[in-house]
Amino acid sequence: MYFEDKEKGVLQAQNPKLDDLFKLCIDIGMGRFVKTEQTATHHHLILCGMLRVSKHVKTGKVTRQRLKLCPEKDDNPLTWVRTTQQFPMPLFYCNGKDYRHLFTSIADIAVTFILNDLKKCGINGFSGVTEVRYYEPIGPDGMDGYEYYKKQPHDYNFKQYKCHEIAKKITNRLCFIPLHDFTHAAKSLTKHTWSFVDKAMVSVYLSAFQIKHDGLSFFDLEAKHLDKLKQQHIDTALWLDNKPLLPLMNLIPSHHYANHDLFCYKVLLPLLHEQDVNVTKGDLRLLQRLPVSLIKEIVKTYCGVQPLHRDNPRHDMTIFIQRFLRINALIGAPVWVRGELVEMGIQHTPKIRAIFIGEWATYHRSMVGRVKALKQKSQWQRALNQLSHVFDWYDRNHAHDNPIQIHKNQRWPSFMHLADEWVQRLREQETQDIQDCVWSPAWMDTLPLNIKNANLIVNELCSAEALQREGNELEHCVFSYRFDCQNKRYRVFSLRLVQQGKEIERATLGLDMDAVSQRCCYDQLRSACNDVASKVLHTASNHIIKTINKELAA
């Protein structure tokens, strides 16, 4: 019997060893991460030997249980009891992901339950060892010393330590298990989890709430998310019959989900109007014709803005969406292209941007059906870059005191011509203070930004003269960002791909900077004449952003 003292009895050993607790957990089955059992009445999925999910064969009712330790019962010291504790149970397996943290967190929950049981039985804590850091000075000034660690006895009692803190001392010992064992266990767990969830509820959740704004990855979906939705008592059949409208549920308070008339226009429209989404019945009918993934992109734009927000009101966004839905030239265009257009259009001046997008779509209508969405993605991206170029021209030249007049008969070639003339003026612009318009690198020399790794040369452009030279050589409008760079709101990098001493590709990377934290985020990566850069340079840009933000967070 564990924790047994021959002189004082089973529970009289008030401070057993931490090794005894670890041995108990291993013998119970903590090392067997996933196990299934089938009885005449139930189907069990056991996690780490101490937690399990049970499903009744006839009724299909699912319950969660945990193993309760009762040392005073010699005949049956371990019994299964119900619990409301949620267990991490992912539904999808992600290849290449480290699942060590998943199973250690499951083991933490299980061992914490065991410790609570032992605490109620009179055990005060556990005796163990801890590593203490020491420093041994060498030399007269003691600067040439070294540090080392030494194990010392330590008392892990319940007065100083919480149960979950002691539990981590046990679960941290699982690090000796090879990584591939955690991988195989994760595959088994995701496979068997589907037997304990409502598949219709999964379809509802993925259609309604799996949007990027949630910050929840597709592979992070767990059974607990479905349980939270199930508590709203929704009618899954009714929701699936109205699948195109499901993404709109992100904009409606959850206490309305149980309403059986939720998808009627008389009920749905007033609820959307309360959230400052002033769509009409005709807008909803047009919305239902779109793919669900595109509807999610539209809803994501609303989720990122609070109702009645002054800087970016939902009212202006609704005006853009209403015009966007009525652009017939976009019918049949790739979904990802239309999603990019929505994301570009809801920014500044959404009314004008809807006009630009409409003319852009009419001009490129011949590409629909002929240019493939994925195999010829670069052609679509090149066309989107032209649209972004026109947006830059308008945003940087439009002012309240001297607004740009857009005529109803203007077409896309006219907008492109005006944008190209603006770029030409920027190249020819020679100001007297161009030599004085300089700024220091955002991160000085603490980051290896000027690197020559894998034939890649990265340089930060830190003067208006460098931006002008870059814009003239690559024929784009990077020079217009000089004042943003000087005010530390923008950073520009020149990327060169060199092979055997010859430059085979060159592009300009632009990063937006947060005014407070100085963290960077991707804005654009343009090759010559606003062309599409290669995957190698896109990968390099992601590496630069991660390196910068990592150094700033350190």
Side-chain angles (χ1 to χ4, degrees):
M1 185 63 188
Y2 300 98
F3 317 131
E4 182 175 2
D5 192 307
K6 295 182 179 180
E7 298 180 357
K8 299 182 179 180
V10 176
L11 292 177
Q12 299 302 319
Q14 299 298 317
N15 290 89
K17 294 182 179 180
L18 206 61
D19 294 338
D20 295 332
L21 177 61
F22 179 73
K23 187 174 184 299
L24 169 64
C25 295
I26 290 297
D27 290 348
I28 292 176
M30 184 176 65
R32 177 73 179 272
F33 296 134
V34 181
K35 180 182 178 182
T36 58
E37 289 183 354
Q38 184 76 40
T39 63
T41 58
H42 288 83
H43 181 204
H44 303 296
L45 176 62
I46 304 175
L47 306 178
C48 294
M50 293 173 279
L51 303 174
R52 79 178 182 184
V53 184
S54 298
K55 181 178 180 180
H56 198 277
V57 176
K58 293 183 178 180
T59 63
K61 184 178 180 180
V62 178
T63 58
R64 286 177 172 79
Q65 301 174 348
R66 61 100 173 179
L67 200 62
K68 184 177 182 180
L69 179 62
C70 302
E72 68 275 5
K73 297 181 180 179
D74 295 334
D75 55 340
N76 190 18
L78 297 173
T79 57
W80 290 102
V81 296
R82 289 191 180 186
T83 180
T84 58
Q85 178 70 43
Q86 295 282 356
F87 314 145
M89 295 175 61
L91 292 170
F92 300 98
Y93 171 76
C94 179
N95 189 24
K97 182 178 180 180
D98 188 354
Y99 283 95
R100 185 182 288 108
H101 175 72
L102 171 67
F103 290 101
T104 53
S105 62
I106 295 175
D108 284 340
I109 297 173
V111 177
T112 301
F113 279 130
I114 296 296
L115 288 170
N116 283 320
D117 295 337
L118 294 173
K119 183 179 179 181
K120 294 177 182 178
C121 294
I123 293 181
N124 297 327
F126 298 87
S127 60
V129 295
T130 183
E131 290 186 345
V132 181
R133 177 179 174 273
Y134 290 93
Y135 181 79
E136 183 68 26
I138 298 178
D141 54 358
M143 299 297 294
D144 299 329
Y146 63 93
E147 60 181 31
Y148 62 95
Y149 292 85
K150 185 177 180 181
K151 292 185 177 180
Q152 291 185 356
H154 193 78
D155 182 22
Y156 297 97
N157 57 74
F158 290 126
K159 293 183 179 180
Q160 297 180 354
Y161 295 89
K162 296 181 180 180
C163 292
H164 67 88
E165 295 176 342
I166 303 178
K168 288 188 178 296
K169 301 294 181 180
I170 298 298
T171 56
N172 287 340
R173 300 187 182 188
L174 297 177
C175 61
F176 69 89
I177 298 178
L179 181 61
H180 62 81
D181 287 353
F182 292 99
T183 301
H184 294 322
K187 291 181 179 179
S188 178
L189 178 57
T190 53
K191 173 185 176 181
H192 293 292
T193 299
W194 283 92
S195 301
F196 297 88
V197 298
D198 185 358
K199 296 180 177 60
M201 190 67 70
V202 176
S203 180
V204 168
Y205 190 92
L206 293 178
S207 300
F209 303 103
Q210 196 69 27
I211 62 177
K212 295 180 181 179
H213 177 75
D214 289 339
L216 178 67
S217 171
F218 179 79
F219 297 103
D220 292 333
L221 179 61
E222 298 180 3
K224 63 181 180 181
H225 300 114
L226 304 179
D227 293 341
K228 185 178 180 180
L229 181 60
K230 194 174 182 180
Q231 293 175 0
Q232 304 297 332
H233 304 289
I234 68 171
D235 186 352
T236 55
L238 176 64
W239 280 49
L240 291 176
D241 289 340
N242 296 273
K243 199 170 184 178
L245 296 176
L246 293 187
L248 296 176
M249 298 301 105
N250 292 273
L251 306 174
I252 297 176
S254 58
H255 62 270
H256 293 289
Y257 291 168
N259 190 345
H260 291 282
D261 298 326
L262 178 61
F263 297 99
C264 296
Y265 291 152
K266 293 182 179 180
V267 177
L268 182 59
L269 286 175
L271 293 177
L272 292 173
H273 293 169
E274 290 177 1
Q275 303 301 318
D276 202 23
V277 183
N278 299 315
V279 294
T280 63
K281 186 185 299 185
D283 298 335
L284 292 182
R285 288 174 178 172
L286 292 174
L287 200 67
Q288 288 178 283
R289 301 176 186 176
L290 300 179
V292 176
S293 57
L294 180 57
I295 301 174
K296 290 181 179 180
E297 289 294 326
I298 295 175
V299 173
K300 183 186 70 173
T301 62
Y302 284 103
C303 292
V305 180
Q306 296 297 326
L308 302 178
H309 195 276
R310 294 181 180 178
D311 296 335
N312 196 357
R314 287 184 172 182
H315 176 71
D316 290 345
M317 296 169 59
T318 302
I319 294 177
F320 167 76
I321 296 300
Q322 289 174 336
R323 297 190 178 191
F324 178 82
L325 293 174
R326 288 163 176 81
I327 301 177
N328 295 327
L330 289 175
I331 298 177
V335 176
W336 75 268
V337 173
R338 287 186 279 178
E340 290 285 339
L341 293 176
V342 170
E343 188 173 351
M344 295 166 63
I346 55 92
Q347 299 177 15
H348 306 292
T349 60
K351 296 181 182 180
I352 300 299
R353 293 200 172 206
I355 298 176
F356 289 155
I357 291 175
E359 295 299 329
W360 176 90
T362 303
Y363 183 81
H364 295 88
R365 192 170 186 174
S366 60
M367 296 176 62
V368 177
R370 297 182 181 180
V371 180
K372 303 300 180 183
L374 297 179
K375 290 184 178 180
Q376 297 171 296
K377 185 177 180 179
S378 60
Q379 296 187 33
W380 285 107
Q381 191 63 55
R382 188 178 298 110
L384 290 173
N385 287 344
Q386 294 176 358
L387 178 61
S388 179
H389 177 50
V390 172
F391 286 162
D392 289 340
W393 157 73
Y394 183 84
D395 292 340
R396 293 186 174 275
N397 290 274
H398 180 75
H400 293 290
D401 55 347
N402 187 22
I404 296 177
Q405 297 295 333
I406 303 297
H407 304 287
K408 63 178 182 180
N409 294 327
Q410 278 188 277
R411 298 295 179 257
W412 181 250
S414 173
F415 297 137
M416 281 294 300
H417 179 70
L418 292 173
D420 291 339
E421 285 184 345
W422 169 61
V423 174
Q424 187 64 28
R425 290 196 304 269
L426 288 177
R427 294 176 191 160
E428 296 174 354
Q429 182 180 8
E430 293 290 345
T431 58
Q432 298 179 354
D433 59 343
I434 189 173
Q435 299 292 337
D436 299 329
C437 187
V438 296
W439 51 90
S440 59
W443 306 276
M444 302 303 289
D445 56 351
T446 58
L447 294 178
L449 294 179
N450 298 324
I451 58 176
K452 296 181 180 180
N453 185 18
N455 300 324
L456 182 67
I457 303 175
V458 182
N459 291 303
E460 183 177 2
L461 305 181
C462 300
S463 66
E465 185 178 4
L467 293 182
Q468 187 184 46
R469 184 169 56 252
E470 183 82 2
N472 291 337
E473 294 175 357
L474 296 186
E475 299 184 6
H476 53 50
C477 58
V478 69
F479 180 65
S480 63
Y481 291 87
R482 60 192 183 280
F483 297 119
D484 291 335
C485 294
Q486 192 175 27
N487 296 326
K488 297 184 178 180
R489 295 194 302 264
Y490 204 84
R491 287 293 160 179
V492 179
F493 298 86
S494 177
L495 279 62
R496 299 171 183 262
L497 195 60
V498 180
Q499 187 175 13
Q500 296 179 354
K502 295 182 180 180
E503 181 179 298
I504 60 176
E505 187 178 7
R506 180 177 174 183
T508 306
L509 172 64
L511 304 180
D512 272 320
M513 291 186 64
D514 185 86
V516 179
S517 64
Q518 299 297 303
R519 290 178 60 86
C520 294
C521 64
Y522 176 86
D523 181 54
Q524 54 186 331
L525 180 64
R526 303 291 178 85
S527 185
C529 299
N530 290 313
D531 205 349
V532 182
S534 65
K535 292 183 178 180
V536 176
L537 294 185
H538 276 282
T539 303
S541 64
N542 293 333
H543 172 71
I544 292 173
I545 295 171
K546 290 181 180 179
T547 304
I548 292 171
N549 292 335
K550 184 178 179 180
E551 281 292 324
L552 292 174

